[in-house]
């Protein structure tokens, strides 16, 4: 299925010895996805053109807009997703209202991250976490070198959900959306990610009830502090031979 995520483009390859040649390379596709809530445009996301229902559901949950039980219906129409929710007494934000500056967004995230606490006593065997290294690369990434991946792994180390997207935020949103649509208990799964983990990324996962995040990259210091406040285990530099645990060490059962 990688062909659905990619498109071929011409380019000129120039070598260090002066040679030049015309080539065709595969690039990752990106498209605008409009998300409507109760008939009103809420936001436009730029993402890979698949799993749009999962993207919309996961985005609303990880951004703290609604809970899954408030969703009554989800329909995909081309590159638009229409969601009907039960929020008659609350004003639904519009696309314009969602456009805030980076500084304001960072301040808002710092305030909300203090309130998020994952109330779960789930722990994971190290072997289940190391098993995640088998799912860190996708065929689409090998072809394009331009995508991120998010996956959900259960406590036995078995793959439950694996999602590819051009954005690390979108990949997490889609994985969370897929989990809720499948009825998975996220407290019994950990999130595997190829992306770096600043506070914003950790907070998205924590809002969904995820207790452990493992990434092949290194987290930011803000991500570590957010994980500590949210009672989330944060693992960086996940390799087959070792991992670095930065927060919530007790969730890794030694």
């Amino acid at each position: 299925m990688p062909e659905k995520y990619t498109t071929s483009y011409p380019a000129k390859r120039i070598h260090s010895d002066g040679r030049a040649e015309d080539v065709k390379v595969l690039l990752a596709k990106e498209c605008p996805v409009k998300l409507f809530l109760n008939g009103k445009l809420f936001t436009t996301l730029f993402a890979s053109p698949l799993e749009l229902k999962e993207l919309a559901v996961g985005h609303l949950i990880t951004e703290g807009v609604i809970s899954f039980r408030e969703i009554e219906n989800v329909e995909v129409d081309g590159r638009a997703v229409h969601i009907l929710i039960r929020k008659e007494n609350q004003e639904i934000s519009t696309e314009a209202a969602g456009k805030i500056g980076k500084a304001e967004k960072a301040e808002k995230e710092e305030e909300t991250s203090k309130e998020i606490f994952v109330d779960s006593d789930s722990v994971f065997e190290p072997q289940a976490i190391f098993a995640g290294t088998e799912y860190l690369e996708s065929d689409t990434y090998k072809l394009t070198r331009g995508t991120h991946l998010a996956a959900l792994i259960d406590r036995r180390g078995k793959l439950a959900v694996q999602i590819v997207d051009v954005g690390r935020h979108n990949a997490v949103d889609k994985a969370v959306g897929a989990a809720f649509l499948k009825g998975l208990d996220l407290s019994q799964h950990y999130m595997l990610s190829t992306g770096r983990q600043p506070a914003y990324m950790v907070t998205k996962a924590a809002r969904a009830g995820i207790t452990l995040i493992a990434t092949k990259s290194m987290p930011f210091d803000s991500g570590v502090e957010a994980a500590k406040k949210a009672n989330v285990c944060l693992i960086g530099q996940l390799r087959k031979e070792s991992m670095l645990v930065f927060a919530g060490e007790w969730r890794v059962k030694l």
Side-chain angles (χ1 to χ4, degrees):
M1 196 167 60
E3 64 277 3
K4 294 184 179 180
Y5 290 91
T6 63
T7 185
S8 178
Y9 266 82
K12 185 175 290 292
R13 188 186 304 278
I14 299 177
H15 299 269
S16 58
D17 61 6
R19 290 181 298 115
E21 58 181 329
D22 293 324
V23 297
K24 283 192 173 182
V25 296
L26 290 176
L27 299 181
K29 290 182 180 179
E30 181 186 52
C31 69
V33 181
K34 293 187 180 297
L35 173 54
F36 292 85
L37 294 185
N38 290 357
K40 296 182 179 180
L41 181 62
F42 174 72
T43 191
T44 301
L45 303 172
F46 287 84
S48 296
L50 297 177
E51 295 100 5
L52 302 188
K53 179 184 290 187
E54 290 82 353
L55 172 66
V57 171
H59 182 75
L60 294 176
I61 292 170
T62 63
E63 292 295 318
V65 178
I66 59 172
S67 64
F68 184 68
R69 64 179 177 273
E70 292 174 290
I71 298 176
E72 292 189 338
N73 189 48
V74 184
E75 291 186 2
V76 178
D77 180 14
R79 292 180 177 174
V81 185
H82 298 265
I83 295 186
L84 183 65
I85 61 174
R86 295 189 300 270
K87 275 207 167 183
E88 296 87 354
N89 298 324
Q90 296 189 31
E91 183 179 350
I92 299 174
S93 301
T94 63
E95 184 173 29
K99 295 179 179 178
I100 59 176
K102 289 184 178 179
E104 184 180 349
K105 187 173 185 178
E107 184 178 348
K108 181 175 180 290
E109 279 301 320
E110 185 176 353
E111 291 176 357
T112 56
S113 65
K114 296 176 183 177
E115 305 166 1
I116 299 169
F117 186 86
V118 181
D119 188 12
S120 170
D121 58 0
S122 293
V123 296
F124 296 84
E125 299 280 352
Q127 292 79 4
I129 301 171
F130 284 123
T133 58
E134 299 296 325
Y135 309 112
L136 275 169
E137 265 199 9
S138 67
D139 292 338
T140 305
Y141 176 77
K142 292 174 184 177
L143 290 171
T144 66
R145 301 294 170 179
T147 57
H148 279 283
L149 178 148
L152 293 168
I153 315 293
D154 69 18
R155 294 176 66 178
R156 297 172 298 167
K158 302 297 183 181
L159 179 68
V161 172
Q162 187 185 53
I163 296 287
V164 172
D165 197 274
V166 290
R168 68 183 193 271
H169 306 87
N170 299 333
V172 168
D173 287 347
K174 288 181 176 182
V176 168
F180 275 92
L181 290 169
K182 289 182 176 183
L184 299 181
D185 181 356
L186 281 177
S187 70
Q188 302 302 308
H189 296 74
Y190 70 88
M191 172 73 77
L192 186 69
S193 173
T194 58
R196 296 171 295 173
Q197 296 295 312
Y200 178 55
M201 289 290 288
V202 172
T203 300
K204 285 173 74 70
R207 283 197 184 105
I210 292 170
T211 58
L212 188 151
I213 305 166
T215 175
K216 70 175 185 179
S217 303
M218 292 290 276
F220 293 176
D221 60 340
S222 63
V224 174
E225 293 306 315
K228 290 179 179 178
K229 293 172 184 175
N231 198 31
V232 169
C233 178
L234 181 58
I235 294 171
Q237 211 168 68
L238 177 63
R239 305 287 187 269
K240 289 184 178 180
E241 64 278 1
S242 68
M243 66 177 98
L244 292 173
V245 184
F246 290 93
E249 296 90 345
W250 65 272
R251 290 196 186 276
V252 182
K253 187 177 180 181
L254 298 177

